[in-house]
Amino acid sequence: MITLGIETSCDETSAAVIKNGSEILASKIFSQADIHKKFGGVVPEVASRNHALKIHSVVAEVIENAKVSLNDIDLIGVTNSPGLIGALFVGVSFAKGLSYALKKPLIPVNHLTAHILSGEIENKELTPPYAALVISGGHTHLFLVSTSYNFNLISKTIDDAVGESFDKVAKTLGLNYPGGPEIEKNALRGDENKINFPIAIKNKLDFSFSGLKTAVITAFKSDHYLPEDICASFQKTAVDTLIHKVRLAQKKFRFSKLVVAGGVACNGYLRQRFKDELKNINVFFPSKVLCTDNGIMVAYTAFKFFNKRIFMDYNSRVFDRDERIKLF
Ligand code: KG4
Ligand code: ZN
């Protein structure tokens, strides 16, 4: 079974070909980060236009590298929600055209579901039930995944996503977009105990990062601190917050496995602290290439749920948000 996955929900134009759900035959991620850098963040219309310029060559390249022909493709999966409307529209339109021309089924994939399932691709021990923390530029969402793959959202951010706070803090400090890797790099030279930022809403499961972001910006403007100390102290508090909320959730829901996925899960400091401090939970991290947006997780999700036979209607829309979190 050859599955093609297409992902264009934000600023990565990505596609992948996988075989029988587990063997990755080819994958390509074209990151637009350099294009958006000069604006200090993702400009939606610029993202859509660059997806339109790249989508054909990215898909053609993975098909060639996978050493399959177009007709060998059995199934196509494409991200249709949530994300930037124009960006999603490019991938979905392309996938609909390909599916129609090849007469192959097309599965609509929810971006969050794909991030959650990305943890299963390399870890066969990661089987439900498990908890899933999706931490990215757009999301800070904690789910419980049931044995029958129902996704129960138990907590999310009430304001900024954690990745967004990394990006905004980096922008204030004059660092490049995306801010996460820049903060992580600068934090290595800093003292994480220099500034004592608070964890927001400590007694509830809800996440909140906008107060932390404002506190960091105020500290920066005070001219009292070195940028690397600000980076380290901010990163420490962001991770303290995530670990604290996971502990609260674990006390209530008693899960024993946790997957941490999405772009922020690339952070090495975060990975180490989760492993060191959540001793009673088996913590799984997908490899870094599977954490940022990619076509592999989309192909895997489409393959995984093929038997549910929820195919995309060629007249369907794309969705910028999806609070209902269905299977796809
Ligand atoms: O999952 P992703 O590629 O796209 C979204 O769905 O948003 O995540 C991108 C986010 C950005 O906010 C970026 O700053 C953050 O992931 N990120 C990081 C790191 N690498 C990427 N945050 C912290 N540390 C990192 N090393
Ligand atoms: Zn994502």
Side-chain angles (χ1 to χ4, degrees):
M1 177 96 160
I2 303 288
T3 308
L4 170 68
I6 296 176
E7 156 64 43
T8 63
S9 68
C10 190
D11 62 340
E12 270 97 17
T13 317
S14 181
V17 177
I18 66 170
K19 187 176 173 185
N20 298 333
S22 53
E23 194 184 336
I24 299 159
L25 299 184
S27 165
K28 168 92 183 170
I29 300 172
F30 170 72
S31 169
Q32 299 177 6
D34 283 342
I35 298 167
H36 295 283
K37 234 172 218 164
K38 54 179 170 291
F39 305 109
V42 178
V43 182
E45 185 52 24
V46 173
S48 318
R49 284 164 192 260
N50 282 284
H51 284 308
L53 289 173
K54 273 285 172 185
I55 185 78
H56 179 269
S57 62
V58 166
V59 172
E61 190 176 324
V62 291
I63 289 170
E64 190 185 334
N65 290 348
K67 302 198 173 18
V68 295
S69 75
L70 272 178
N71 282 316
D72 294 330
I73 296 169
D74 298 302
L75 180 65
I76 304 168
V78 64
T79 308
N80 77 331
S81 72
L84 302 172
I85 279 286
L88 288 165
F89 188 71
V90 174
V92 167
S93 303
F94 189 89
K96 281 179 180 172
L98 201 57
S99 153
Y100 186 77
L102 298 175
K103 298 189 174 50
K104 296 296 163 78
L106 176 60
I107 306 246
V109 171
N110 181 297
H111 187 69
L112 288 167
T113 308
H115 270 307
I116 294 168
L117 296 190
S118 68
E120 295 185 3
I121 300 170
E122 302 155 316
N123 296 296
K124 297 298 165 234
E125 324 89 273
L126 182 61
T127 52
Y130 58 79
L133 179 65
V134 180
I135 42 176
S136 68
H139 297 93
T140 308
H141 281 37
L142 183 60
F143 295 91
L144 293 179
V145 181
S146 76
T147 5
S148 50
Y149 284 102
N150 283 315
F151 299 87
N152 181 17
L153 180 63
I154 55 169
S155 165
K156 67 180 170 103
T157 179
I158 57 165
D159 41 56
D160 291 350
V162 61
E164 190 181 353
S165 70
F166 271 88
D167 294 335
K168 286 182 177 165
V169 164
K171 194 174 178 181
T172 305
L173 297 182
L175 302 172
N176 272 334
Y177 173 83
E182 297 281 323
I183 300 244
E184 183 178 6
K185 206 166 58 196
N186 280 279
L188 290 173
R189 295 181 284 112
D191 174 2
E192 66 176 32
N193 296 313
K194 194 79 189 177
I195 317 166
N196 196 6
F197 294 121
I199 297 177
I201 357 178
K202 258 192 133 167
N203 57 344
K204 282 190 170 179
L205 282 181
D206 299 320
F207 295 95
S208 167
F209 290 97
S210 88
L212 172 60
K213 173 194 68 189
T214 309
V216 173
I217 293 171
T218 309
F220 175 68
K221 289 192 175 151
S222 76
D223 274 341
H224 280 112
Y225 305 105
L226 294 170
E228 53 269 33
D229 290 342
I230 295 177
C231 287
S233 303
F234 159 70
Q235 179 177 259
K236 172 184 181 291
T237 310
V239 173
D240 284 348
T241 305
L242 295 170
I243 290 179
H244 176 75
K245 302 287 173 170
V246 167
R247 280 206 178 108
L248 271 188
Q250 206 273 336
K251 274 199 189 115
K252 187 164 176 196
F253 296 101
R254 300 272 159 214
F255 47 84
S256 58
K257 290 182 258 183
L258 170 76
V259 58
V260 188
V264 182
C266 289
N267 188 291
Y269 168 85
L270 177 149
R271 285 176 178 238
Q272 196 59 47
R273 286 202 48 201
F274 267 67
K275 292 268 183 200
D276 290 348
E277 293 172 36
L278 293 169
K279 291 276 187 226
N280 59 342
I281 307 174
N282 197 357
V283 184
F284 296 85
F285 283 98
S287 58
K288 291 186 182 177
V289 70
L290 287 172
C291 282
T292 51
D293 292 347
N294 66 86
I296 301 168
M297 65 185 187
V298 179
Y300 178 80
T301 306
F303 172 84
K304 182 109 190 162
F305 295 120
F306 174 56
N307 58 1
K308 305 263 180 201
R309 302 200 170 267
I310 302 174
F311 299 123
M312 188 182 269
D313 176 351
Y314 291 133
N315 291 316
S316 65
R317 299 168 45 216
V318 294
F319 302 94
D320 60 346
R321 62 183 67 220
D322 187 353
E323 297 300 340
R324 289 161 295 127
I325 315 293
K326 296 164 303 183
L327 269 183
F328 303 105

